[in-house]
């Protein structure tokens, strides 16, 4: 029996041509592909990004990863999907799992890795992160010389976010969706509003770019994939 292997593949921020050459090659060779979907009907954005690289013979398995506060429901999904993936790999198949951005940053893959770990032959293929893509699209520097940078989830406590914004010259604020007003108020309080940009759906056809956060109308609905970059040094270039 041939030896099976599992590949965790970062698809990058959204544009299909921002996938790495290595990822494209592996996607064309795998036999089974797991694609995460946030709804049970199957609506995998990651799958839409990689379709052009897949062989006609690949078996696509869209699997629902619940986005819920119910920890038990999430653990059950992770356990069941990890077990299914392990069965495919141990049967000798070349198996892929795709995830937006990079597989090792704010990714469902990490929870699967905890369950699959040493028992399987695993390769993680890095992808371009959303914030790296945004920085490039906006030509917005992230970090230079002795500067420090923090990558934060806006689901963190406000005091944790405040501390990061005080301690680091550059801060990436992810998971902005539904929390923008709170974050904008915090940036204004710290005098950083003019040092920040927001981009949503970076590199996709429906990309939205806000170089001035103050210009966003109160209550305006922002896309789910919205990220804020803050760099104190950038203030001089914007005012």
């Amino acid at each position: 029996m041939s030896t099976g292997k599992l590949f965790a593949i970062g698809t990058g921020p959204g544009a299909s041509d921002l996938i790495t050459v290595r990822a494209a090659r592996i996607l064309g060779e795998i036999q089974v592909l797991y694609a995460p979907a946030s709804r049970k009907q199957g609506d995998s954005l990651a799958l839409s990004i990689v379709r052009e690289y897949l062989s006609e013979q690949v078996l696509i398995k869209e699997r629902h990863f619940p986005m819920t506060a119910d920890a038990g429901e999430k653990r059950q999904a992770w356990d069941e999907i990890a077990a299914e993936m392990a069965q495919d790999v141990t049967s000798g198949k070349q198996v892929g799992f795709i995830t937006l951005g990079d597989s090792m940053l704010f990714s469902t893959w990490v929870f699967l890795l905890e369950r699959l770990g040493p028992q399987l032959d695993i390769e993680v293929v890095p992808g371009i992160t959303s914030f790296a893509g945004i920085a490039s699209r906006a030509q917005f520097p992230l970090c230079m010389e002795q500067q420090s940078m923090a990558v934060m989830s806006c689901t963190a406590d406000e005091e944790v976010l405040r501390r990061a914004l005080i301690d680091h010259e550059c801060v990436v604020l992810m998971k902005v969706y539904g929390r923008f007003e709170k974050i904008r108020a915090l940036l204004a309080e710290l005098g950083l509003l003019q040092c920040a940009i927001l981009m949503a759906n970076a590199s996709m056809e429906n990309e939205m770019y806000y170089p001035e956060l103050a210009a966003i109308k109160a209550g305006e609905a922002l896309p789910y994939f919205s990220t804020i970059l803050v760099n104190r040094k950038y203030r001089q270039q914007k005012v």
Side-chain angles (χ1 to χ4, degrees):
M1 179 183 294
S2 59
T3 303
K5 186 170 182 176
L6 174 59
F7 298 89
I9 302 168
T11 67
S16 60
D17 58 355
L18 287 178
I19 288 179
T20 65
V21 174
R22 185 179 187 86
R25 176 180 59 78
I26 292 171
L27 285 165
E29 296 172 350
I30 57 176
Q31 298 165 291
V32 181
L33 178 68
Y34 283 81
S38 59
R39 293 198 296 266
K40 289 184 178 179
Q41 296 93 328
D43 60 341
S44 176
L45 174 58
L47 180 57
S48 70
I49 294 170
V50 306
R51 275 194 187 277
E52 65 185 84
Y53 301 104
L54 302 175
S55 72
E56 295 181 358
Q57 293 75 34
V58 66
L59 173 62
I60 297 173
K61 296 185 175 183
E62 292 190 66
R63 293 296 180 263
H64 172 56
F65 288 85
M67 300 177 68
T68 173
D70 187 334
E73 183 181 355
K74 288 191 287 190
R75 281 196 300 270
Q76 181 179 352
W78 299 333
D79 289 343
E80 291 176 355
I81 295 169
E84 185 181 3
M85 293 171 70
Q87 185 174 19
D88 282 336
V89 176
T90 54
S91 69
K93 295 183 175 66
Q94 302 297 295
V95 180
F97 178 85
I98 50 174
T99 180
L100 293 172
D102 182 82
S103 302
M104 303 304 289
L105 179 73
F106 291 127
S107 170
T108 301
W109 161 252
V110 175
F111 300 111
L112 297 173
L113 180 61
E114 290 174 351
R115 288 158 171 78
L116 297 168
Q119 62 179 298
L120 299 177
D121 183 8
I122 296 175
E123 178 180 336
V124 179
V125 181
I128 298 172
T129 63
S130 61
F131 61 84
I134 291 169
S136 296
R137 298 283 290 173
Q139 299 182 30
F140 186 95
L142 288 173
C143 203
M144 293 288 290
E145 299 177 326
Q146 286 76 44
Q147 291 183 330
S148 62
M149 184 176 81
V151 180
M152 306 295 296
S153 168
C154 290
T155 58
D157 291 340
E158 185 172 324
E159 188 53 40
V160 174
L161 296 175
R162 179 181 287 105
R163 193 73 256 164
L165 288 162
I166 292 171
D167 290 345
H168 302 278
E169 288 85 0
C170 180
V171 178
V172 176
L173 296 167
M174 303 185 72
K175 302 183 184 293
V176 174
Y177 178 76
R179 306 171 183 91
F180 173 71
E181 294 298 345
K182 180 185 78 170
I183 299 303
R184 178 161 62 177
L186 179 58
L187 291 170
E189 173 195 326
L190 297 174
L192 295 172
L193 204 56
Q194 302 243 354
C195 306
I197 64 169
L198 183 149
M199 188 175 288
N201 303 326
S203 79
M204 301 183 220
E205 291 183 0
N206 57 344
E207 176 183 285
M208 301 172 68
Y209 176 44
Y210 300 90
E212 300 289 343
L213 270 61
I216 300 176
K217 296 178 181 178
E220 180 176 342
L222 294 172
Y224 180 77
F225 294 110
S226 296
T227 298
I228 293 174
L229 305 186
V230 184
N231 189 327
R232 294 181 202 160
K233 198 170 183 180
Y234 193 60
R235 177 197 302 272
Q236 298 174 353
Q237 303 176 40
K238 296 179 67 174
V239 298

